[in-house]
Amino acid sequence: MVFLQIKNLKIHYHTKRGINKAVDGVSFELEKGKSIGIVGESGCGKSTFVKGLIRVMSQNATITEGEVLFEEKDLVQLPEKEMRDIRWKELAIIPQAAMDSLNPVYPVLDSFIEILVLKGGMKKKQAVQRAEELFKMVGLDTKRLSYYPHEFSGGMKQRAVIALALALNPKLVIADEPVTALDVIVQSQVLKELRRLKEELGLTLILITHDISVVAQTCESIVVMYAGKIVEKGLANEVLKRPNHPYTMGLANAFPNLQEPNKPLISIEGSPPDLVDPPKGCLFSERCPFRMERCTTEEPLLTEIKPGHFAACHREAEIDDLRERSMEVATWQKVVS
Ligand SMILES: Nc1ncnc2c1ncn2[C@@H]1O[C@H](COP(=O)(O)OP(=O)(O)OP(=O)(O)O)[C@@H](O)[C@H]1O
Ligand SMILES: [Mg+2]
């Protein structure tokens, strides 16, 4: 049985300007105990995807197509009551904004008690014990359970939110940019903590980030998203060593690489397209240093180029050469006119 299987998921926002296809045909699989990183720039649809997965979406969002098979149950079709029963218990989210799970007007302990008593059916005393255990697990002093969220530093708050997500031993943990709001040193501490928990508890993890180097350190597999679509996916080691899509190459250039710390960082000029009125052809073509005529008219399909490694680029045949060129600063200059 495949633990989690996402099939052609589409999530659209209805806006005044028209339909925003924020998630447009996403498919991947995840085995139990494994972790997958979803990477892409701001606005690529990462949060929309995870919110769709747990079905906590904005009013104007609709899942228009696709399946989310979680232990063979399709979460897209599940009645809301059943979905409510499995949130926190079977799948838990570490949200992008910590305040989404810590109630600012109560001490942090109250947020834990709420989940443990209401969702987990524990007695209050038992819940306090579990909260203490969870705080210790993420390296927080149990005294701080009586503090208010605003009395926590950013790093502590993030650890508390991770502890809260783990409260009921969920089978799947989804972390949406768990460290983005933190400074670099605290980022690396919190990530280390997350990696340790993943090993010790055998967590199945979906990690959302815009920083491809975080995926390299944390996940077995990677999905690269651009403008609501997957442009590349496969084993993280393989994809990061030999990226087969220019967007992945660009992301790899834009973040520090542990193996080559002195390599200059190169950013991708421009920004993702307007998803209400996307360009024709390859959605990345406007910013791609390797675009050809065909890229602006015909959309490349996600194709298996090696077992388990998929990419969507018309220039697949020349990809080794393009990868070499992608490492030069000059390649990425003045691409966007
Ligand atoms: N409630 C909403 N109504 C309309 N459009 C939305 C809404 N939320 C997000 N969008 C749009 O959906 C697209 C994807 O946004 P999303 O928040 O999923 O991106 P993201 O990859 O999580 O970005 P970030 O890295 O900034 O968190 C964007 O075009 C965004 O403007
Ligand atoms: Mg987001």
Side-chain angles (χ1 to χ4, degrees):
M1 175 179 74
V2 184
F3 179 66
L4 178 71
Q5 201 172 11
I6 316 281
K7 288 187 183 172
N8 195 30
L9 192 68
K10 297 190 181 180
I11 305 173
H12 295 173
Y13 288 109
H14 301 268
T15 75
K16 279 193 186 130
R17 292 190 307 117
I19 289 177
N20 180 323
K21 297 182 181 171
V23 173
D24 198 18
V26 164
S27 306
F28 65 83
E29 290 181 1
L30 181 61
E31 276 175 50
K32 203 163 173 31
K34 300 280 183 196
S35 60
I36 196 161
I38 303 183
V39 53
E41 287 163 294
S42 187
C44 281
K46 308 181 299 294
S47 294
T48 304
F49 169 74
V50 293
K51 286 181 198 158
L53 202 93
I54 60 164
R55 297 236 317 261
V56 180
M57 302 190 293
S58 321
Q59 292 264 323
N60 60 334
T62 324
I63 299 181
T64 57
E65 218 180 302
E67 291 167 75
V68 174
L69 301 174
F70 177 65
E71 295 187 320
E72 295 180 341
K73 253 189 319 243
D74 185 5
L75 300 187
V76 174
Q77 304 299 339
L78 214 61
E80 175 54 27
K81 189 190 162 299
E82 283 177 49
M83 194 66 206
R84 226 177 294 142
D85 288 341
I86 69 170
R87 265 186 230 123
W88 294 97
K89 270 193 246 168
E90 299 200 20
L91 36 102
I93 187 164
I94 302 170
Q96 190 160 0
M99 282 308 172
D100 287 355
S101 31
L102 293 177
N103 190 331
V105 302
Y106 296 112
V108 171
L109 178 62
D110 290 33
S111 295
F112 280 79
I113 289 179
E114 189 185 329
I115 299 296
L116 292 163
V117 172
L118 291 184
K119 296 271 182 184
M122 287 186 188
K123 295 264 172 6
K124 189 169 168 197
K125 196 171 154 210
Q126 222 183 345
V128 173
Q129 269 173 8
R130 174 71 179 149
E132 288 176 351
E133 188 181 299
L134 288 158
F135 251 45
K136 283 186 204 145
M137 196 162 84
V138 297
L140 285 172
D141 186 339
T142 52
K143 277 200 304 248
R144 292 190 190 274
L145 275 165
S146 60
Y147 289 25
Y148 285 82
H150 70 263
E151 296 174 285
F152 278 52
S153 71
M156 285 184 219
K157 221 181 290 171
Q158 206 53 33
R159 282 171 196 258
V161 171
I162 291 173
L164 191 62
L166 300 177
L168 300 177
N169 289 317
K171 292 178 183 165
L172 174 66
V173 176
I174 305 159
D176 189 1
E177 306 264 12
V179 298
T180 306
L182 308 173
D183 71 58
V184 184
I185 295 175
V186 183
Q187 269 192 13
S188 89
Q189 289 168 349
V190 172
L191 276 174
K192 213 166 127 193
E193 203 66 47
L194 200 60
R195 279 197 291 274
R196 184 181 62 79
L197 291 168
K198 182 185 143 233
E199 294 307 322
E200 284 179 10
L201 307 174
L203 296 181
T204 310
L205 180 71
I206 298 181
L207 177 71
I208 310 285
T209 174
H210 60 274
D211 181 345
I212 204 163
S213 59
V214 167
V215 178
Q217 296 165 53
T218 318
C219 304
E220 280 101 13
S221 307
I222 185 169
V223 163
V224 182
M225 254 181 105
Y226 188 74
K229 291 179 192 274
I230 295 181
V231 294
E232 185 161 4
K233 65 178 177 180
L235 289 175
N237 270 341
E238 207 166 296
V239 171
L240 298 173
K241 215 191 298 163
R242 297 168 56 79
N244 273 251
H245 193 285
Y247 183 56
T248 317
M249 298 174 195
L251 288 179
N253 281 334
F255 289 95
N257 179 328
L258 288 180
Q259 273 81 46
E260 298 167 85
N262 298 324
K263 222 176 88 177
L265 299 185
I266 315 170
S267 57
I268 312 173
E269 279 188 36
S271 46
D274 178 3
L275 296 177
V276 176
D277 184 20
K280 275 215 185 78
C282 171
L283 294 171
F284 186 58
S285 63
E286 292 174 323
R287 303 168 73 194
C288 183
F290 309 123
R291 77 168 160 252
M292 308 176 299
E293 184 68 36
R294 183 180 173 203
C295 306
T296 59
T297 54
E298 190 188 322
E299 192 178 340
L301 297 175
L302 193 64
T303 315
E304 191 163 22
I305 45 177
K306 272 198 216 119
H309 188 168
F310 295 76
C313 178
H314 286 312
R315 302 193 66 178
E316 190 45 53
E318 313 151 74
I319 214 74
D320 291 336
D321 176 41
L322 303 188
R323 193 181 308 112
E324 284 292 315
R325 285 167 55 196
S326 78
M327 292 173 200
E328 306 291 327
V329 179
T331 301
W332 295 89
Q333 282 167 346
K334 303 207 173 51
V335 173
V336 183
S337 46

